Amino acid sequence: MKNFYIKPKIEFGENSLNFLKNNVNGKVFIVTDKSMVTLKLVDKITELLPKNSLVKIFDEVTPNPTTDVVEKGLKELVLFNPDVVIALGGGSPIDACKGMLYFGRKLKITLNNKLFIAIPTTSGTGSEVTSYSVITEGNKKIALANEEMLPDIAILNPEFMKTLPKKIIADTGMDVFTHALEAYVSKVANPFTDAMALESLKLLNKNLVKHYNNAQDLEPRKNVQFASCLAGVAFNNSSLGINHSIAHTIGAKFHLSHGRANAILLPYIIKINENANERYEVLAKELNLEGKESFVKYIENLKVTLGIEKSLSELNIDFQEFQNLIPEMLSEIKADICTEFNPNILTDEEYIKLLLKIYFGNL
């Protein structure tokens, strides 16, 4: 039996934060990072909470949140025992918060009946509407999947994206592109996920570069945020593929942002996924392109516009180190939960050739 799961409830628009005024009561635990505090974005949340709210802020989330951060946050969460949990930030704070709730329930710590609200401040991960969380342990990324990690409420407010640096807009925007694309060509894609993935790609096609060039412009900013959310719902129901599996291991090994790793990989993965050629042709047509090759060229040109490297060698990653890590990376890629749903099943030899192409830029 197949299913399409829709959760959470989504509040969106310029006044969406007002949801907090009348729907949050009691003790509130906010999971975020120090930049959100420094930029006073946390204040935009706390000032809307009822006057009698008791608030505790856990701001120790780091990029690529680690198991240590999750463990520390979980301890504070349990001791505080809040009525409401709010995750505020990019994918890292939301994923970390999900990890706290996931491991709390796994350890049978009483964490039920807490309202879980996710408020993204970037347009990229779609984590506010997915049951996935990626946590780093050492030099490995662990992808978790459990419906209990889905937030109850997602609040999409475009105000948070007005001051994003261009590099973050580029990285998170290409993360959205990868989510939508992999959801569309997944082995278990369906008409529901197709509709959302395709609309996400159309919105990105019209708005991502505009948003990159001028983050103050409201319409592109809102539309990229919608694209991110739509892609999140899509891949939450159809999963992803080896673009993400490889990005997880490369990102962890060489400390790359997840979105940039995804973007570098995209053309190479499309080339090797021959079983999805018909689906790529459909996407090309929807974007007024002539076929799969023109679709690959379109992505390459988009990456140039967004200042994203073509290969790993352009990031000055040492080749000897990269080569030595290939057996370990290969093992992690094959074990990643996203690999199962990729259109093509690759042999070890094909993976090694692919990794070398990605390093040297031999598309």
Side-chain angles (χ1 to χ4, degrees), residues 1-54:
M1 183 173 67
K2 300 177 181 179
N3 65 71
F4 180 78
Y5 195 89
I6 300 179
K7 188 189 174 188
K9 177 182 177 182
I10 300 170
E11 302 284 339
F12 63 92
E14 294 167 85
N15 299 315
S16 53
L17 288 178
N18 288 338
F19 174 86
L20 300 172
K21 288 182 178 179
N22 302 315
N23 296 279
V24 172
N25 294 289
K27 299 167 71 176
V28 181
F29 188 78
I30 299 175
V31 178
T32 189
D33 57 43
K34 295 193 184 301
S35 67
M36 294 293 107
V37 176
T38 302
L39 295 171
K40 299 189 180 300
L41 297 183
V42 173
D43 295 350
K44 292 181 180 292
I45 305 304
T46 56
E47 66 189 14
L48 291 172
L49 300 177
K51 299 295 183 184
N52 61 348
S53 297
L54 183 60

Side-chain angles (χ1 to χ4, degrees), residues 11-119:
E11 302 284 339
F12 63 92
E14 294 167 85
N15 299 315
S16 53
L17 288 178
N18 288 338
F19 174 86
L20 300 172
K21 288 182 178 179
N22 302 315
N23 296 279
V24 172
N25 294 289
K27 299 167 71 176
V28 181
F29 188 78
I30 299 175
V31 178
T32 189
D33 57 43
K34 295 193 184 301
S35 67
M36 294 293 107
V37 176
T38 302
L39 295 171
K40 299 189 180 300
L41 297 183
V42 173
D43 295 350
K44 292 181 180 292
I45 305 304
T46 56
E47 66 189 14
L48 291 172
L49 300 177
K51 299 295 183 184
N52 61 348
S53 297
L54 183 60
V55 179
K56 183 173 182 58
I57 298 170
F58 179 79
D59 65 356
E60 298 186 40
V61 179
T62 55
N64 300 315
T66 64
T67 50
D68 289 340
V69 167
V70 170
E71 182 180 355
K72 186 171 183 179
L74 176 57
K75 287 178 181 177
E76 294 199 21
L77 173 63
V78 172
L79 288 172
F80 187 62
N81 191 26
D83 302 291
V84 180
V85 178
I86 298 176
L88 174 71
S92 293
I94 297 176
D95 275 12
C97 189
K98 286 178 176 179
M100 294 170 200
L101 297 172
Y102 172 82
F103 287 110
R105 288 174 180 136
K106 192 172 183 180
L107 295 170
K108 298 183 179 179
I109 298 171
T110 305
L111 291 172
N112 295 324
N113 302 318
K114 298 183 188 302
L115 182 65
F116 178 22
I117 301 173
I119 307 175

Side-chain angles (χ1 to χ4, degrees), residues 178-213:
T178 310
H179 289 157
L181 182 57
E182 289 208 293
Y184 193 80
V185 302
S186 166
K187 284 181 180 177
V188 290
N190 57 68
F192 300 108
T193 59
D194 285 353
M196 291 187 163
L198 186 54
E199 182 62 18
S200 176
L201 287 170
K202 287 180 177 179
L203 286 169
L204 289 172
N205 180 47
K206 293 179 180 178
N207 295 280
L208 179 55
V209 172
K210 291 179 181 177
H211 178 42
Y212 176 78
N213 288 333

Side-chain angles (χ1 to χ4, degrees), residues 184 198 276-288:
Y184 193 80
L198 186 54
N277 280 353
E278 289 186 13
R279 303 228 97 194
Y280 291 130
E281 294 284 340
V282 171
L283 292 178
K285 184 177 180 180
E286 290 288 345
L287 298 183
N288 297 315

Side-chain angles (χ1 to χ4, degrees), residues 155-184:
I155 299 179
L156 305 183
N157 191 298
E159 183 71 16
F160 289 117
M161 290 76 182
K162 283 177 67 173
T163 57
L164 287 177
K166 281 192 168 186
K167 184 174 182 180
I168 292 179
I169 291 174
D171 290 358
T172 55
M174 289 307 294
D175 197 14
V176 178
F177 198 104
T178 310
H179 289 157
L181 182 57
E182 289 208 293
Y184 193 80

